Amino acid sequence: MRIFFLDQSGKPGGAELCLIDIAKPYSHRALVGLFADGAFKDLLEQNHIPVEVLTTQTIQVRKESSLVQGLKSLRQLAPLITKVIKKVREYDLIYANTQKALVVGALASFFSRRPLVYHLHDILSIEHFSQTNLRIAINLANRCASLVIANSQASKTAFIQAGGRSDIIEVVYNGFDPKIYRTNESEINKLQQELGLQGKFVVGHFSRLAPWKGQHILIDAIAKCPQEVTVILVGDALFGEQDYVKQLQQQVADLELENRVKFLGFRSDIPQLMATCDLVAHTSTSPEPFGRVIVEAMLCGKPVVAAKAGGVMELVEHGLNGFLVTPGEPQELAQVIITCLQETEITATIANNARTSASRRFDVATINQQIAQLLSQRF
Ligand code: UDP
Ligand code: GLC
């Protein structure tokens, strides 16, 4: 099957990293079309997946856009849509991986008569999107997509609640290669030394810096923990959240935590960095659609504490393979951090359970088979 994948981002967020794994098996007969240049393109090339940047013009529409802004951006999209319609003639299927890709893909599908698949990586609710954007996404998916793949049951439920058709949507979780998450001890010791983490109890946070990812909750929580508890914040502001970065830096200064919070920026050595941690924290304040970082930490055999909402509840069972806390509650989070610091045996058992269950449930080979089956059944 020849697939034309579309993704709006030039930067490698979770949806883009997931797309690399999905596109790989089709790479000899596929093309990934991007709506921006950047590090995601380089990653696709490193993975030998054909890629083309289809436009370098910024598409102005944002998650919270109004109808007027939406219509303006539609005019802006016209040359891009025309380009996609021309190119798609060489492919059997359009696979839209993001919301703007859905808009472009739906119109291209209509004019080219190629079927459309929409991979839904978001919880389509007003917590995350404007009413206008929600309506556009649901209407286009309902009318134009032959199949919607949701990254969790939570994303599927929100889609249906927002008016999405239940007969076109299937859940497929993100897949991971467990081998990548087995690390070498001497390499980890070296990294620990480089980062000055020896002798500390390290809590890692591995998300782009954005208000809803809740890094501020973790900073508040460690102010309530013993001195040896140190935080590494891994990730960058990928989508222009510079004010939030300043706010986090100010919070660290106000709480006099400069020696206990390290901002490491965007990194490509996630498994190695996770291996230097004693605990990985996920602190999203709005429901997380899936949460790749949680599964990655589990595959590294690290205990995870995660915000109890959205897809996270399909990944973590409290006390069995991780810990769940109320989103936005630093006190509760601090309590779990202190428990992990003190109850090392129970925590290690939980982390081991996590590695076993995550390796079984999220193996990329099985996940890719699920996608192949869905595509071959429908097209
Ligand atoms: N990630 C990364 N480098 C960083 C921070 C994060 O490669 O510095 C990766 C992380 O390992 C995960 C992805 O970015 O695979 C984030 O995906 P997730 O589903 O957790 O959240 P999203 O950002 O997609 O909402
Ligand atoms: C999106 C979601 C994230 C999910 C990722 C991969 O970026 O925000 O929760 O893990 O897609 O599906």
Side-chain angles (χ1 to χ4, degrees):
M1 190 176 294
R2 299 169 304 171
I3 307 184
F4 192 8
F5 295 95
L6 294 175
D7 191 296
Q8 71 200 49
S9 181
K11 295 178 182 170
E16 287 67 38
L17 295 172
C18 172
L19 184 64
I20 294 179
D21 289 322
I22 292 173
K24 239 187 228 170
Y26 300 95
S27 57
H28 55 296
R29 301 171 78 192
L31 177 66
V32 179
L34 303 182
F35 306 168
D37 204 346
F40 179 38
K41 185 186 92 179
D42 303 337
L43 269 180
L44 286 159
E45 282 171 349
Q46 281 161 28
N47 281 280
H48 310 290
I49 300 167
V51 54
E52 191 176 323
V53 177
L54 302 173
T55 176
T56 46
Q57 210 189 351
T58 320
I59 302 164
Q60 294 300 350
V61 69
R62 297 183 68 83
K63 277 188 169 184
E64 59 282 354
S65 287
S66 69
L67 187 60
V68 180
Q69 286 164 317
L71 289 173
K72 266 192 202 152
S73 62
L74 203 59
R75 198 161 2 113
Q76 217 188 23
L77 286 178
L80 172 60
I81 294 167
T82 314
K83 200 169 189 179
V84 171
I85 293 170
K86 263 194 205 144
K87 283 199 177 288
V88 78
R89 293 198 188 116
E90 291 162 45
Y91 299 90
D92 305 310
L93 182 78
I94 303 172
Y95 194 111
N97 198 51
T98 57
Q99 291 222 33
K100 286 176 206 165
L102 170 65
V103 175
V104 174
L107 291 165
S109 158
F110 177 80
F111 287 111
S112 66
R113 309 238 157 262
R114 294 293 188 277
L116 173 74
V117 173
Y118 174 37
H119 199 134
L120 174 63
H121 292 279
D122 295 305
I123 289 188
L124 293 176
S125 71
I126 45 168
E127 265 180 286
H128 286 280
F129 297 94
S130 71
Q131 268 305 347
T132 309
N133 282 358
L134 280 184
R135 227 174 295 137
I136 292 172
I138 297 288
N139 275 319
L140 288 177
N142 279 352
R143 283 160 206 260
C144 305
S146 311
L147 170 67
V148 178
I149 296 177
N151 63 353
S152 66
Q153 192 60 48
S155 296
K156 174 180 169 178
T157 304
F159 177 80
I160 295 168
Q161 268 169 7
R165 279 170 55 189
S166 58
D167 59 321
I168 53 171
I169 189 161
E170 300 283 347
V171 174
V172 180
Y173 291 129
N174 280 214
F176 300 82
D177 178 357
K179 278 199 303 292
I180 294 173
Y181 300 90
R182 280 182 224 127
T183 47
N184 153 319
E185 208 172 317
S186 68
E187 187 187 13
I188 302 313
N189 288 340
K190 205 171 132 223
L191 191 56
Q192 249 164 351
Q193 243 167 26
E194 269 168 34
L195 297 172
L197 299 174
Q198 314 97 302
K200 314 263 193 214
F201 184 88
V202 182
V203 183
H205 195 291
F206 295 83
S207 286
R208 55 200 162 87
L209 303 178
W212 76 275
K213 291 292 187 180
Q215 281 86 356
H216 58 287
I217 304 294
L218 179 58
I219 296 173
D220 270 347
I222 73 142
K224 301 175 199 301
C225 292
Q227 284 292 326
E228 74 228 68
V229 178
T230 293
V231 162
I232 56 171
L233 294 178
V234 182
D236 209 346
L238 290 189
F239 306 111
E241 300 91 343
Q242 289 313 325
D243 288 349
Y244 185 59
V245 178
K246 280 196 204 121
Q247 182 192 315
L248 290 176
Q249 285 160 346
Q250 188 60 51
Q251 185 188 6
V252 169
D254 293 345
L255 293 167
E256 297 179 7
L257 292 171
E258 288 93 338
N259 295 329
R260 292 172 59 198
V261 178
K262 292 179 199 298
F263 289 85
L264 301 189
F266 187 88
R267 302 273 301 221
S268 306
D269 51 350
I270 298 300
Q272 289 71 22
L273 283 166
M274 282 187 173
T276 68
C277 296
D278 297 287
L279 174 66
V280 172
H282 163 273
T283 57
S284 293
T285 53
S286 298
E288 183 72 56
F290 177 75
R292 290 176 61 85
V293 287
I294 296 168
V295 178
E296 289 170 331
M298 289 168 134
L299 291 171
C300 288
K302 292 293 159 180
V304 184
V305 54
K308 189 179 175 187
V312 172
M313 286 148 79
E314 297 159 53
L315 310 179
V316 178
E317 280 184 89
H318 182 72
L320 279 181
N321 62 2
F323 302 92
L324 291 171
V325 288
T326 313
E329 292 286 342
Q331 185 62 50
E332 209 180 310
L333 179 59
Q335 201 46 58
V336 171
I337 296 174
I338 294 168
T339 305
C340 291
L341 175 66
Q342 292 168 347
E343 307 280 348
T344 49
E345 238 172 83
I346 299 173
T347 307
T349 308
I350 287 178
N352 262 331
N353 293 344
R355 178 177 252 165
T356 312
S357 70
S359 312
R360 184 174 40 79
R361 294 180 69 204
F362 305 106
D363 191 309
V364 69
T366 318
I367 301 290
N368 278 343
Q369 268 171 22
Q370 289 173 13
I371 294 199
Q373 216 166 3
L374 283 174
L375 298 184
S376 68
Q377 269 165 14
R378 308 218 178 197
F379 307 106

